[in-house]
């Protein structure tokens, strides 16, 4: 049985890159939102704030959006590393 971080490897890598500040463009976030949508995580209530942060990124204050999304990515990474 594969681990959650292996199963969602691309999404994990994207969230890690965002948290590290390597890529925070709107296009990158749109790609990450697409990757999230293709996973089955969108049905998991623990990731609802991440889903909202992805959808709302760039709609308001950019700095606040980056901070919010980085926090949600950190939380999601922690949950995935703990094995769901």
């Amino acid at each position: 049985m594969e681990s959650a971080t292996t199963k969602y490897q691309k999404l994990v890598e994207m969230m890690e890159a965002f948290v590290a500040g390597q890529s925070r463009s709107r296009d990158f976030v749109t790609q990450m939102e697409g990757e999230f949508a293709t996973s089955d995580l969108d049905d998991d209530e623990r990731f609802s704030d991440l889903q909202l942060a992805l959808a709302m990124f760039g709609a308001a204050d950019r700095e606040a959006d980056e901070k919010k999304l980085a926090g949600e990515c950190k939380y999601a990474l922690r949950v995935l590393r703990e094995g769901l």
Side-chain angles (χ1 to χ4, degrees), residues 34-61:
E35 188 65 29
F36 179 82
T38 62
S39 72
D40 58 351
L41 297 176
D42 58 338
D43 291 330
D44 189 325
E45 188 64 31
R46 295 174 293 178
F47 299 102
S48 62
D49 289 341
L50 173 62
Q51 187 173 18
L52 181 61
L54 285 166
M56 297 303 295
F57 187 82
D61 178 73

Side-chain angles (χ1 to χ4, degrees), residues 26-82:
R26 179 67 188 134
D27 287 340
F28 181 79
V29 173
T30 299
Q31 291 173 6
M32 188 167 36
E33 184 177 16
E35 188 65 29
F36 179 82
T38 62
S39 72
D40 58 351
L41 297 176
D42 58 338
D43 291 330
D44 189 325
E45 188 64 31
R46 295 174 293 178
F47 299 102
S48 62
D49 289 341
L50 173 62
Q51 187 173 18
L52 181 61
L54 285 166
M56 297 303 295
F57 187 82
D61 178 73
R62 176 69 179 244
E63 189 174 322
D65 288 349
E66 286 182 1
K67 185 176 179 181
K68 172 72 174 166
L69 184 53
E72 293 305 328
C73 286
K74 288 176 187 176
Y75 170 77
L77 288 167
R78 189 169 48 250
V79 170
L80 290 170
R81 287 180 181 135
E82 290 172 359

Side-chain angles (χ1 to χ4, degrees), residues 14-34:
M14 294 178 91
M15 289 189 293
E16 288 173 339
F18 188 87
V19 169
Q22 296 170 348
S23 191
R24 292 198 168 180
S25 70
R26 179 67 188 134
D27 287 340
F28 181 79
V29 173
T30 299
Q31 291 173 6
M32 188 167 36
E33 184 177 16

